[in-house]
Amino acid sequence: GNSVTQMEGPVTLSEEAFLTINCTYTATGYPSLFWYVQYPGEGLQLLLKATKADDKGSNKGFEATYRKETTSFHLEKGSVQVSDSAVYFCALTKGGSEKLVFGKGMKLTVNP
Amino acid sequence: NAGVTQTPKFQVLKTGQSMTLQCAQDMNHNSMYWYRQDPGMGLRLIYYSASEGTTDKGEVPNGYNVSRLNKREFSLRLESAAPSQTSVYFCASSETRQGLSNQPQHFGDGTRLSIL
């Protein structure tokens, strides 16, 4: 079946540090890939998405590239801020279904 | 613009009690979803509804029932609560129609439910 594996953390970084959160997936064919973010006490929000191989999604300084050859969708940000402290979820949809399959999430804390 | 609204935000139940979690969206979305979020498990789909009048089981449907009352509302019912159902429950909605795909899901702020 379809599945997502991501770094679980928790991870603590200093402000302005470089961030990478690894995400790999298992799916037949060509899934669509997403990163969602959950700020404390809130629901999930879409951060970025990519729907085909080599697409790059970007938003709020975050980027992720759909790599079919390595079945990966790693999230990166060059300089994190305290306001980026949140839980980050990698997810996929497959085969025309809108049902999301989530990774377990990774909690990021950014200290000033 | 409210988006997806869930009620209540918090609830404590005793084992065996019943309860309905309410969800409403004001974005005219066709599809709605119920998830549970548990530590170390990510989000798991309980039930979903692709359109008004239809519902389907997700990954973890046992112990739950749902009702898609109309296009706006999608409720989740626990008939006989068990401690294993202690979790944070999220409702979500998305726009789905012919020719439109990969639309984001919009989430409510969650209901934190404890079963004693």
Side-chain angles (χ1 to χ4, degrees):
Chain A
N2 302 326
S3 65
V4 174
T5 302
Q6 64 172 112
M7 289 172 58
E8 295 185 27
V11 169
T12 301
L13 296 175
S14 297
E15 205 165 24
E16 300 184 3
F18 183 84
L19 170 70
T20 299
I21 305 176
N22 289 338
C23 172
T24 58
Y25 67 89
T26 300
T28 55
Y30 301 91
S32 295
L33 302 172
F34 304 81
W35 277 100
Y36 279 81
V37 59
Q38 183 181 27
Y39 298 105
E42 298 183 9
L44 280 70
Q45 305 173 23
L46 179 68
L47 181 60
L48 52 85
K49 70 178 184 181
T51 59
K52 60 183 187 295
D54 300 325
D55 266 3
K56 177 185 284 188
S58 61
N59 186 26
K60 299 181 180 180
F62 290 89
E63 293 184 340
T65 301
Y66 188 139
R67 302 287 188 198
K68 183 166 175 57
E69 62 276 15
T70 55
T71 63
S72 64
F73 192 53
H74 305 322
L75 183 69
E76 296 183 335
K77 187 173 185 181
S79 176
V80 294
Q81 305 301 311
V82 172
S83 57
D84 294 326
S85 298
V87 181
Y88 293 82
F89 293 91
C90 187
L92 65 81
T93 59
K94 174 67 177 63
S97 167
E98 299 299 327
K99 292 184 288 183
L100 284 165
V101 175
F102 286 94
K104 293 183 178 180
M106 196 210 79
K107 183 176 181 179
L108 171 68
T109 301
V110 180
N111 292 324
Chain B
N1 191 356
V4 178
T5 302
Q6 293 184 234
T7 55
K9 294 189 183 304
F10 304 94
Q11 185 71 46
V12 178
L13 295 177
K14 295 180 180 179
T15 298
Q17 287 185 315
S18 62
M19 169 153 196
T20 300
L21 308 185
Q22 306 288 351
C23 175
Q25 51 92 9
D26 62 2
M27 296 171 283
N28 202 37
H29 286 167
N30 290 323
S31 296
M32 297 186 74
Y33 313 82
W34 276 106
Y35 295 91
R36 60 178 290 173
Q37 182 180 24
D38 302 295
M41 299 292 289
L43 274 77
R44 294 180 292 171
L45 183 65
I46 305 171
Y47 271 93
Y48 71 101
S49 170
S51 62
E52 183 180 351
T54 67
T55 61
D56 286 288
K57 295 178 180 179
E59 182 184 353
V60 288
N62 291 344
Y64 305 95
N65 287 302
V66 290
S67 295
R68 184 73 184 268
L69 305 171
N70 47 55
K71 192 170 186 179
R72 290 187 65 248
E73 298 172 291
F74 188 39
S75 62
L76 178 73
R77 182 162 179 83
L78 287 69
E79 290 290 353
S80 179
S84 61
Q85 295 177 302
T86 294
S87 188
V88 182
Y89 291 85
F90 287 98
C91 177
S93 70
S94 67
E95 174 65 12
T96 52
R97 51 185 166 86
Q98 190 75 17
L100 188 68
S101 61
N102 304 311
Q103 295 303 298
Q105 292 188 14
H106 298 259
F107 286 79
D109 287 341
T111 295
R112 189 174 296 274
L113 185 62
S114 294
I115 317 294
L116 304 179

